[in-house]
Amino acid sequence: MSRRIHRLYSRKSGTPSVIFLAGMGDSGETWKIVQDRISQEASTLSYDRAGIGRSPAAAVVPRTCRDLVEELYDLLQEIEVETPCILVGHSFGGLVARLFTSLYPQLVSGLVLVDAAPEYKELAYEKVLPDNLIAANREYYERLAGRVGRGMAERGNLSNRTTSASRSQTAFNLKQTKNGYS
């Protein structure tokens, strides 16, 4: 990595690695209590995305979710995290976790979403994105919406019933947003 990402990594040999992804603007510290407890049973990693907490700013800003996924991928490679791992994403971290799972399914054995932002929220971000990032943002949204649930079901990580329920919930949430609910 060209910059030093602040992280807290606890390796426990022979156990799954649990990777915690914080919400937008939050540092990895938000996971401290949970991480301390889980690290008694498994390897754990929390980190501050570039420009958050104790990590230096990214060389190029603004960044897309794909950039954040690549940052996590590079970090996992750099510190040689045992895979497949379990991703735990809170809020905006859930978007990053889902895209990571979509792009690197062989590295993920489980996905836990904690009050995660739904995929369509990405479309709302277009209101604040610079024009040069809107196409990449839209491409990300289209890929994520179609691939995450289908890809996990094909790998056997989700039942078809769960995938259908997730799609129904996403559709319901989208309908609420269109009708003025949040």
Side-chain angles (χ1 to χ4, degrees):
M1 289 190 137
S2 58
R3 62 193 175 281
R4 183 85 174 145
I5 295 295
H6 175 76
R7 72 282 197 136
L8 178 59
Y9 181 45
S10 171
R11 186 181 303 236
K12 191 170 182 86
S13 193
T15 66
S17 298
V18 180
I19 314 302
F20 296 98
L21 292 90
M24 184 178 285
D26 289 337
S27 74
E29 278 291 306
T30 61
W31 288 109
K32 183 171 179 7
I33 293 171
V34 175
Q35 185 175 2
D36 286 349
R37 173 60 186 98
I38 300 297
S39 67
Q40 295 172 16
E41 306 295 328
S43 298
T44 61
L45 168 68
S46 64
Y47 69 104
D48 296 346
R49 289 186 293 273
I52 304 293
R54 292 184 249 170
S55 290
V60 176
V61 289
R63 300 186 307 153
T64 65
C65 282
R66 177 71 185 252
D67 296 328
L68 302 178
V69 164
E70 296 308 322
E71 176 180 81
L72 175 57
Y73 176 84
D74 291 345
L75 178 61
L76 296 179
Q77 299 305 305
E78 178 183 318
I79 61 178
E80 299 177 354
V81 169
E82 290 182 41
T83 59
C85 60
I86 300 167
L87 298 179
V88 181
H90 170 251
S91 189
F92 179 76
L95 287 173
V96 178
R98 286 193 297 262
L99 182 57
F100 187 96
T101 301
S102 160
L103 296 172
Y104 299 105
Q106 72 282 6
L107 300 181
V108 180
S109 62
L111 180 61
V112 178
L113 301 174
V114 181
D115 197 22
E119 293 87 358
Y120 66 84
K121 279 285 200 214
E122 211 46 35
L123 297 178
Y125 298 151
E126 289 183 4
K127 294 175 185 174
V128 296
L129 282 176
D131 290 340
N132 65 329
L133 292 180
I134 290 177
N137 183 66
R138 183 61 61 121
E139 178 185 332
Y140 155 74
Y141 171 75
E142 295 296 329
R143 181 177 34 233
L144 182 63
R147 290 180 58 193
V148 171
R150 184 175 59 247
M152 291 187 76
E154 288 169 359
R155 289 185 9 251
N157 291 357
L158 293 175
S159 68
N160 286 332
R161 184 174 153 220
T162 303
T163 304
S164 296
S166 297
R167 287 186 189 140
S168 295
Q169 184 62 46
T170 299
F172 176 72
N173 290 343
L174 183 56
K175 182 177 179 186
Q176 285 181 320
T177 300
K178 286 182 178 177
N179 290 328
Y181 305 112
S182 61

